[in-house]
Amino acid sequence: MNRPTARDVAALAQVSRAAVSFVFSGRAEGNLSAETQARIKKAARELGYRPDEVARSLRKRRSAVLGLLSDEIATSPFAGRMVLGAMEAARERGHQVLLLESRLDPAAEAEAVAELRARRVDGVVYAAMSMRRTAVPQGIDPERAVLANCLPQEPGSYASVVAHERAGGRAAVDALIDAGHRDIALLGGETDNIAASDRTRGFRDGLRAAGITAREEWVLRAGWQIDEGYAAALRVLDRAERPTGLVCANDRVAAGALLAAARLGIDVPGELSVVGYDDQDQMADRLVPALTTVALPHLEMGATAVRMLLDAADADTPVDRTAAVRLKCPLITRDSVRPPKA
């Protein structure tokens, strides 16, 4: 079967070939009525027509391909969301994503960068699966790159898209304060970690705004894992005077806290409310009780990074390397938070 052409679409829609070109090059607004645009798109669907991206990229001297280079795509529970967001945003703009992984191996990183350069990709998303400052591999042009879920070692050297971790920490403690809690503990993440530190600052912001003085013996750095959450929760719960609410570094720490509460015979959420962080797939909504948590916007991070690249490419301008986008971390309300007993 011959591939349908723009001329075939024009004939079926009873418009000029130029009108078809306007629709599929993004120049229809202001040139064609909404009715005409709809008629052209309907004809294209009926014929199974798609623009020739190879010919278009040759005319524009662009490849219609973006690179996504990450440190640990295969092993991160959140990688799928970021990759999906990047791919969906790229597809909306007629692009595909070439996905490469380095596992933080310098040799593999150098090989990946060489591959991206050989493919003449239109831009690169350099993604980390845990929030950190990073040394971007040599050969990645800051004028055609955006960092996702990480920050450059030198501020202003690369554009970045990250979660607003401090606001997320504030949202977590606000969920407890809004439910009526005032005796609130924090089982924070690792020391010397950007995300953990920002979430702790947000926790303190929320207490301060509510006129609550943080009890330092209830503000712990637990870590990120279930066993660390379990041990830290025992430290604050196995005492006569204990908090009625817990903010946890992530959902794994929250799972450990639920285990500690069960061992001590503390009912959740009847006697203790718990808030997690991450909204981790196959975990947060399956714990008992289902976990109220703050979601990391991995899907939006991938999509936003791609749109920043393509906006710059379409305008034929370099990416603004000083751009630092922080995305909202929404609160996901489930069953683990309840007003404290009188």
Side-chain angles (χ1 to χ4, degrees):
M1 296 178 63
N2 292 330
R3 176 175 175 164
T5 66
R7 196 178 302 279
D8 297 327
V9 175
L12 181 59
Q14 297 182 326
V15 297
S16 68
R17 189 177 179 281
V20 175
S21 178
F22 277 139
V23 167
F24 289 100
S25 65
R27 295 178 293 145
E29 293 303 320
N31 291 307
L32 299 174
S33 69
E35 180 184 354
T36 300
Q37 292 180 52
R39 194 162 73 247
I40 291 170
K41 291 176 182 178
K42 181 174 182 292
R45 286 196 301 271
E46 290 179 2
L47 293 172
Y49 168 77
R50 294 186 64 186
D52 188 337
E53 296 295 345
V54 174
R56 180 187 293 183
S57 65
L58 289 173
R59 287 195 300 272
K60 293 184 175 182
R61 296 185 178 181
R62 287 166 58 181
S63 66
V65 176
L66 298 174
L68 195 158
L69 174 57
S70 174
D71 51 10
E72 48 183 354
I73 293 169
T75 57
S76 169
F78 307 107
R81 298 183 194 177
M82 189 180 294
V83 172
L84 180 61
M87 288 183 167
E88 287 180 345
R91 193 177 300 118
E92 289 172 1
R93 305 276 285 270
H95 279 64
Q96 297 297 321
V97 174
L98 174 62
L99 189 60
L100 299 171
E101 181 183 55
S102 71
R103 298 288 182 94
L104 295 177
D105 177 355
E109 265 189 352
E111 183 179 334
V113 172
E115 178 70 13
L116 295 172
R117 291 168 66 91
R119 299 274 186 137
R120 299 182 181 274
V121 295
D122 294 333
V124 176
V125 176
Y126 184 72
M129 292 305 151
S130 60
M131 175 64 168
R132 57 184 170 83
R133 288 201 177 272
T134 185
V136 181
Q138 288 188 348
I140 294 183
D141 184 355
E143 295 188 350
R144 297 197 302 138
V146 176
L147 309 189
N149 201 37
C150 56
L151 297 167
Q153 286 187 337
E154 297 181 14
S157 57
Y158 282 86
S160 61
V161 182
V162 298
H164 199 324
E165 300 282 11
R166 186 166 183 169
R170 171 72 183 268
V173 74
D174 281 351
L176 294 171
I177 293 170
D178 292 345
H181 293 271
R182 295 188 67 82
D183 298 319
I184 304 171
L186 172 69
L187 307 184
E190 295 173 345
T191 57
D192 300 322
N193 179 279
I194 295 173
S197 296
D198 280 353
R199 293 174 193 181
T200 299
R201 291 188 185 99
F203 172 83
R204 292 184 182 278
D205 291 343
L207 292 185
R208 194 179 304 113
I212 301 171
T213 300
R215 295 181 55 164
E216 295 306 320
E217 69 272 22
W218 288 356
V219 180
L220 308 181
R221 284 298 184 100
W224 300 115
Q225 303 307 321
I226 292 175
D227 59 335
E228 293 171 317
Y230 176 81
L234 286 178
R235 288 172 58 188
V236 298
L237 296 177
D238 192 10
R239 57 178 64 191
E241 188 177 9
R242 64 182 187 232
T244 63
L246 281 182
V247 172
C248 298
N250 62 12
D251 296 339
R252 294 189 293 277
V253 169
L258 293 179
L259 292 172
R263 173 181 171 176
L264 297 172
I266 300 171
D267 177 58
V268 179
E271 298 174 89
L272 176 71
S273 290
V274 179
V275 178
Y277 206 110
D278 288 350
D279 193 28
Q280 185 170 336
D281 287 339
Q282 309 298 317
M283 175 176 280
D285 62 343
R286 302 191 181 192
L287 292 171
V288 180
L291 190 63
T292 292
T293 186
V294 176
L296 280 171
H298 284 99
L299 186 86
E300 292 79 5
M301 275 192 268
T304 301
V306 163
R307 292 181 187 124
M308 290 169 68
L309 286 175
L310 293 180
D311 286 347
D314 288 347
D316 198 23
T317 60
V319 172
D320 178 4
R321 66 177 68 187
T322 66
V325 178
R326 293 184 181 271
L327 299 177
K328 180 180 179 181
C329 301
L331 180 74
I332 309 300
T333 302
R334 297 194 179 98
D335 301 331
S336 63
V337 173
R338 185 180 296 175
K341 289 184 176 180

